[in-house]
Amino acid sequence: MRPFTYERAASPEAAAKAAAADGAKLIAGGTNLLDLMKLQIEAPSHLVDVGHLGLDTIEDTADGGVRIGAMVTNTALAAHPRIRREYGVLSRAIVAGASGQLRNRATTGGNLLQRTRCPYFYDDALPCNKRDPGAGCSAIGGVTRSLGVIGVSDACIATHPSDMAVALRVLDAMVETISPDGATRSIPIADLHCLPGDTPHVENVLEPGEMITGVVLPRPIGGSHFYHKVRDRASYAFALVSVAAVIQSDGPARIAVGGIAPKPWRVEAAEPLLAQGARAFSAKLLEGARPTEDNRFKLALVERTIALLLDKARS
């Protein structure tokens, strides 16, 4: 790990100002950033600690929704009575996401901004456009079993690792931020993460220093909530495919998929096709997919996982 300086920010605005400086990074739980610093994939010269700013509450909103502070831990969020009762897909996704020790440290804001687990990103002996823009992509032509099949580009086929983000996508969450000048904005979760295109190192739409302060869930939509994660081992593995679903008893449903793309993958235009079954829905959801020979199985896995959840909802 390279040397760095450290400060505890006095307010969210002060944190955003400090984080806008060259070489500065925000840190809260540090469950992803510290690992990357140890590997020297991330080498910030200055860390701005935001873990004590009071952004750790879960509150009802005036319109019947819920506001989640950016520093709420994964453990607290998954266990919150209202989240478990009315937003079950979110609670289930978080519990599927990591060990208890990690969930005790990981935060809501940090979870959304965690970086890919592509093995080529973590191997600094190999070129990676996400780690070193313009270097090339070692994953293309390499071992790609765990990597993306849709939304990918000729420059990057990495996937987004967050389970929480997949559930938030199906709930139509809004992400609240503050900029270094004190301005605030709300970003639909659908628009937070970027597709790689020619700039895979640009992973989200946040401006320099802009800090996530909270996540807002709209009022509950009812229905049956599911999160099913398919992985290579039973615990503590990232998803090959994951499906977040909210299915209403009279038929309509929302479905988002993880483990297949650089962002949580939801295609609202496909959802009316669920009445025709998982195959019709999946064909629309995965339209334009670019699988490799290693990960072509994910196309069938998505369809079968969705079929499983539809059967569960009917039973």
Side-chain angles (χ1 to χ4, degrees), residues 54 58 81 93 108 112 114 145 167 175 183 189 191 193 218 227 240 273 291:
I58 301 172
T108 301
L112 294 179
Q114 64 181 299
R145 173 179 166 76
V175 179
I189 186 74
D191 299 334
H193 300 106
Y227 190 79
L240 290 171
L273 298 176

Side-chain angles (χ1 to χ4, degrees), residues 159-191:
T159 57
H160 194 272
S162 171
D163 292 287
M164 177 192 289
V166 182
L168 292 177
R169 179 69 179 89
V170 88
L171 292 171
D172 286 336
M174 300 291 290
V175 179
E176 295 183 339
T177 70
I178 187 167
S179 296
D181 63 359
T184 61
R185 63 171 173 159
S186 293
I187 305 167
I189 186 74
D191 299 334

Side-chain angles (χ1 to χ4, degrees), residues 190-274:
D191 299 334
L192 177 65
H193 300 106
C194 300
L195 296 181
D198 295 328
T199 56
H201 60 290
V202 180
E203 297 174 342
N204 57 66
V205 299
L206 301 185
E207 299 292 334
E210 188 173 6
M211 171 184 162
I212 293 177
T213 54
V215 173
V216 175
L217 304 180
R219 65 171 57 218
I221 57 173
S224 298
H225 290 224
F226 302 95
Y227 190 79
H228 192 86
K229 184 174 180 179
V230 183
R231 44 193 162 183
D232 277 330
R233 62 176 191 266
S235 62
Y236 315 143
F238 292 93
L240 290 171
V241 165
S242 64
V243 177
V246 179
I247 303 173
Q248 305 295 335
S249 58
D250 57 351
R254 299 179 183 184
I255 291 182
V257 180
I260 63 169
K263 59 191 295 183
W265 199 254
R266 182 182 174 197
V267 177
E268 281 88 338
E271 289 169 1
L273 298 176
L274 280 164

Side-chain angles (χ1 to χ4, degrees), residues 2-14:
R2 296 177 184 173
F4 58 88
T5 53
Y6 169 89
E7 70 172 284
R8 286 165 63 92
S11 68
E13 184 177 350

Side-chain angles (χ1 to χ4, degrees), residues 284-298:
K284 183 68 175 176
L285 179 82
L286 299 171
E287 206 169 59
R290 298 172 51 183
T292 67
E293 288 307 308
D294 281 353
N295 63 22
R296 188 174 300 279
F297 73 94
K298 288 191 176 188

